[in-house]
Amino acid sequence: MTPTDDALRLLMCHDALRRRARELHVYDPLTGRGSFGARTEVKTPVDGLPRAAVPDTMFSDPLYKTVVADSTAWRRLRCRHDFEYWAATCVRVKDKQSSRDIPFVLNAPQRRVLGILEQDRLAGRPMRMILLKARQWGGSTLVQMYMAWIQSCHMRNWHSVICAHVRDTAAGIRGMYAKMLGSYPEDMWEGDAPPCFKPYERSTNTRVIVGRDCRVTIGSGEKPDSIRGADYAMAHLSETAYWPSSRTRTPEAVMQAVCGGICLLPYSLVVVESTARGVGDFFHAEWLRAKAGKSDKRAVFVPWNEIAYYRLPCPDPAAVLGSMTPYERQLWEHGCDSGQILWYRHKTLEFESLSRLNAEFPADDIEAFTDSSDSVFSAASVEVLRSRIDREHVTGDVDTAGQRFTPDSKGKMKVWEGPQRGARYVAAVDVGGRSASSDWSVIAVLRADTAVPTVVAQWRGHVDHDILARKSVAVARYYNTALLVIESNTYETADYGGSSDSNLFILSRLAEEYPNIYRRESFDTLTRTRTTRVGFHTNRSTKAMLIAGLIEAVRDATYVERDPEACNELLTYRSLPNGAYAARDGRHDDILMTRAIALHVIRTSALATARMPQHFTQRQSW
């Protein structure tokens, strides 16, 4: 919608103020202007720097009075208290635009992340952070140089590890450290020998900082054995979203092996950083835990609009602001100015879809984890669903009679809410495979007689199909003899092992043993009569119907989800070019399908308002 003249004039006024504020912002790590923390301006003994705003911790240091007339000693003391000054005077890095080596002057995102680390260090707290990286702002450089500062200026015998998804990446990160030592000013080095790395014993992965006795070890998520069990005080875990995962090695196990021995001490540090790689992996789970305040780590994300590179000169702000799309309007609300919106507009020409662009250059963490434009469910709607997950689960299992739930940390059933007297439930079953490499079998229980259907329990595992049928009955019995809706495709074919007759026998026996089972209407082509069959049959037509209903439920938040993994499946579900639906490669849709089936049955029946019918029958569209 085109803004009115008055609205456009107001937008241009705010835009001018935003651009002016950026132009007027002064950052000089030598004088201390714009640097982090409480500072006091003092006279300095440094030639060319008559006055500087130094951290109050330096000004109040007992050594301060002894160095006021000694330039070298004063600068050394300041380096111990002022990371930004140390970085600008002792560290050289490669400039991305000119490829020249230049002093390491922190950019705006780096200063913000530094401020978070410094808050913990100055408070004497262990430093723990998970860093969701946008591109091209130097997050890894900041983390590594901060660790180098601690080892060079503060601590001796303070060992660190760099672990990336592959060894070459970890070696490249340590290479920044080696470059820093190679160009370190001799008069500023506080070591017993000139700064450099030397081999540690016969290790190919570990180097020692000469004069500081601090070891720096590199390793990878692919081959973590070389970094287990050492005496680390700091860990830089890079690109953890890309760490390999298998039955014998998981990112969780590698991280525990690396960080398990790091003590909760001042100056200890763990930073887990990565660009996003979709949802449902270790990094995404850790991010969500930290974001929810359930982790020891601070969750830090840097959006693209904080990065100085992503801006264009804007000769006609009125033309840009007067033609903003709804999404560009959101960027404006995020604080972008006309030059940043113009950059974004030009960048859209490089991408086939806005969702792909937003995943590469996210404005928030939700966009960062969004896979692509073929996603079926809106990422924003899924995050609303996730944000309303309000309780923890108890893990265990029900007995075969469906009479009792026993808590057990190794159980396959999650219970968020036990059966309530008089309540009505639906238990939906998606049938998977027997082996650990096959699809999961899932039994989801939803309460159906409330204004908004609510997930209350879920069983998930790999078992033989006859055992799954018995387990489904036990779960359904436990929840007040819930309406049991079993996805019947697997039981009606021989494609999944066994004969079709034996699988149909399982369904037949299930119908005889359990009184409240879902049946669908079916047309018998031999007798030319309508009959009923046990279970919900999923085909292309009925699946489209189920997914359409689930899209509506997620969009309008008309059901309550309790399992974060269900949200992950929603975010990795895609539409195919032929109009069908499927999970992305390496992902699952088993939990998702139980929600779709249960919500469809609840929506198309009288379960929410009337007594639950026995042997509920529904006509199923074909």
Side-chain angles (χ1 to χ4, degrees):
M1 183 174 66
T2 303
T4 64
D5 291 344
D6 288 344
L8 182 57
R9 280 192 291 269
L10 185 60
L11 287 173
M12 291 182 64
C13 180
H14 283 296
D15 182 61
L17 290 174
R18 290 177 183 181
R19 289 185 285 113
R20 185 66 172 159
R22 288 188 175 95
E23 293 168 0
L24 292 177
H25 178 76
V26 176
Y27 175 63
D28 185 349
L30 302 183
T31 65
R33 291 190 64 185
S35 296
F36 168 79
R39 292 176 175 259
T40 299
E41 187 173 289
V42 298
K43 292 181 180 180
T44 86
V46 180
D47 291 341
L49 188 67
R51 300 186 68 81
V54 302
D56 285 353
T57 55
M58 175 189 174
F59 186 67
S60 59
D61 192 310
L63 293 176
Y64 183 77
K65 294 181 179 179
T66 69
V67 301
V68 292
D70 186 330
S71 175
T72 299
W74 189 92
R75 288 184 292 131
R76 282 188 173 189
L77 184 63
R78 184 176 177 187
C79 281
R80 291 179 213 157
H81 289 271
D82 192 343
F83 172 83
E84 292 165 274
Y85 177 78
W86 173 84
T89 56
C90 298
V91 180
R92 298 186 70 82
V93 295
K94 182 180 179 181
D95 179 48
K96 293 183 181 294
Q97 295 181 318
S98 67
S99 296
R100 295 183 294 109
D101 287 343
I102 59 173
F104 182 30
V105 176
L106 273 63
N107 59 37
Q110 289 169 333
R111 295 197 297 274
R112 181 162 71 86
V113 175
L114 170 70
I116 296 170
L117 292 170
E118 281 289 86
Q119 286 173 7
D120 286 340
R121 182 186 73 85
L122 293 171
R125 294 189 294 262
M127 292 170 280
R128 303 292 186 268
M129 177 182 291
I130 181 166
L131 184 60
L132 174 56
K133 299 194 305 183
R135 304 182 187 281
Q136 303 299 316
W137 65 273
S140 294
T141 302
L142 172 70
V143 172
Q144 193 53 49
M145 290 302 100
Y146 191 77
M147 293 169 64
W149 176 60
I150 291 174
Q151 291 178 311
S152 300
C153 297
H154 289 275
M155 309 296 286
R156 292 175 181 263
N157 294 303
W158 201 249
H159 310 311
S160 66
V161 60
I162 307 164
C163 185
H165 57 311
V166 294
R167 188 180 183 280
D168 286 350
T169 298
I173 294 173
R174 189 173 65 180
M176 293 189 289
Y177 203 146
K179 183 175 185 175
M180 180 273 291
L181 294 174
S183 60
Y184 206 100
E186 292 184 9
D187 62 337
M188 299 298 290
W189 180 246
E190 298 192 55
D192 305 327
C196 67
F197 274 141
K198 73 174 183 180
Y200 175 68
E201 297 181 348
R202 297 183 179 181
S203 173
T204 59
N205 296 319
T206 302
R207 299 288 184 269
V208 176
I209 305 170
V210 174
R212 301 292 299 181
D213 295 324
C214 294
R215 298 196 296 269
V216 180
T217 301
I218 62 171
S220 72
E222 291 180 323
K223 298 180 179 179
D225 294 340
S226 62
I227 55 177
R228 294 179 188 274
D231 179 23
Y232 302 125
M234 299 189 294
H236 180 185
L237 310 178
S238 181
E239 295 298 351
T240 49
Y242 295 84
W243 286 13
S245 181
S246 66
R247 294 182 63 187
T248 58
R249 181 180 298 123
T250 65
E252 295 91 333
V254 175
M255 182 170 158
Q256 182 60 36
V258 173
C259 302
I262 297 180
C263 296
L264 294 174
L265 297 172
Y267 285 90
S268 68
L269 179 146
V270 175
V271 175
V272 180
E273 52 92 350
S274 184
T275 51
R277 195 190 183 191
V279 302
D281 58 19
F282 163 73
F283 181 70
H284 181 235
E286 284 296 292
W287 172 262
L288 291 176
R289 284 206 315 124
K291 185 179 177 182
K294 298 178 180 179
S295 167
D296 63 333
K297 300 173 185 63
R298 292 176 180 252
V300 181
F301 168 68
V302 176
W304 69 263
N305 53 292
E306 280 192 31
I307 303 170
Y309 307 123
Y310 305 144
R311 177 181 285 105
L312 289 176
C314 187
D316 191 355
V320 173
L321 299 176
S323 60
M324 287 190 292
T325 66
Y327 182 79
E328 290 171 347
R329 185 62 132 157
Q330 293 180 35
L331 295 178
W332 171 264
E333 298 297 333
H334 275 301
C336 289
D337 60 33
S338 56
Q340 293 171 306
I341 292 173
L342 182 62
W343 174 89
Y344 179 86
R345 192 172 292 180
H346 279 268
K347 203 68 179 176
T348 60
L349 302 177
E350 300 178 18
F351 289 80
E352 62 180 351
S353 69
L354 291 182
S355 60
R356 287 190 180 276
L357 168 61
N358 296 342
E360 288 292 314
F361 298 94
D364 56 39
D365 62 310
I366 296 174
E367 288 184 349
F369 285 106
T370 300
D371 278 359
S372 71
S373 60
D374 59 359
S375 295
V376 173
F377 298 93
S378 159
S381 298
V382 174
E383 291 309 312
V384 170
L385 204 66
R386 191 193 300 275
S387 70
R388 296 177 178 175
I389 294 176
D390 59 353
R391 65 179 66 186
E392 298 293 334
H393 65 268
V394 177
T395 302
D397 227 327
V398 295
D399 62 1
T400 55
Q403 298 297 313
R404 181 178 300 173
F405 174 83
T406 303
D408 182 352
S409 61
K410 297 182 180 180
K412 297 178 180 179
M413 186 170 173
K414 299 177 181 178
V415 171
W416 290 274
E417 179 184 305
Q420 305 298 308
R421 183 184 296 274
R424 294 184 290 274
Y425 299 94
V426 170
V429 184
D430 186 77
V431 183
R434 297 178 172 89
S435 68
S437 60
S438 59
D439 290 337
W440 296 90
S441 291
V442 177
I443 309 166
V445 183
L446 276 70
R447 184 164 180 177
D449 61 346
T450 52
V452 179
T454 301
V455 175
V456 297
Q458 176 177 285
W459 184 95
R460 190 184 191 207
H462 295 103
V463 293
D464 289 344
H465 295 148
D466 59 328
I467 297 176
L468 176 64
R470 290 197 293 270
K471 177 61 66 176
S472 301
V473 168
V475 171
R477 285 190 189 279
Y478 182 68
Y479 277 91
N480 300 353
T481 315
L483 174 62
L484 180 58
V485 189
I486 193 161
E487 189 265 333
S488 62
N489 295 47
T490 302
Y491 289 105
E492 294 176 346
T493 67
D495 296 340
Y496 295 83
S499 67
S500 57
D501 289 341
S502 64
N503 284 338
L504 284 172
F505 173 73
I506 295 173
L507 278 185
S508 176
R509 186 174 61 185
L510 184 68
E512 292 175 359
E513 294 180 356
Y514 188 70
N516 194 28
I517 197 162
Y518 174 94
R519 294 175 179 269
R520 69 184 187 275
E521 285 192 359
S522 178
F523 185 74
D524 190 325
T525 56
L526 294 177
T527 63
R528 310 298 294 176
T529 60
R530 289 198 171 276
T531 184
T532 63
R533 302 186 71 173
V534 173
F536 189 100
H537 190 277
T538 304
N539 53 44
R540 181 163 182 169
S541 175
T542 58
K543 189 171 185 177
M545 175 183 62
L546 293 177
I547 298 305
L550 187 57
I551 290 172
E552 179 181 345
V554 171
R555 183 195 66 219
D556 299 337
T558 53
Y559 92 100
V560 176
E561 184 54 69
R562 290 277 174 67
D563 188 2
E565 187 56 35
C567 298
N568 295 338
E569 287 193 3
L570 291 169
L571 288 173
T572 55
Y573 202 60
R574 63 191 182 114
S575 56
L576 304 177
N578 64 359
Y581 300 104
R584 298 192 189 285
D585 294 343
R587 306 296 186 184
H588 296 278
D589 63 359
D590 321 292
I591 298 174
L592 177 155
M593 288 304 299
T594 61
R595 275 49 169 183
I597 291 171
L599 290 172
H600 171 75
V601 170
I602 293 170
R603 184 175 60 251
T604 56
S605 72
L607 287 178
T609 57
R611 179 179 179 273
M612 183 180 297
Q614 299 296 305
H615 292 293
F616 176 78
T617 303
Q618 181 186 10
R619 178 172 296 176
Q620 188 167 310
S621 302
W622 296 96

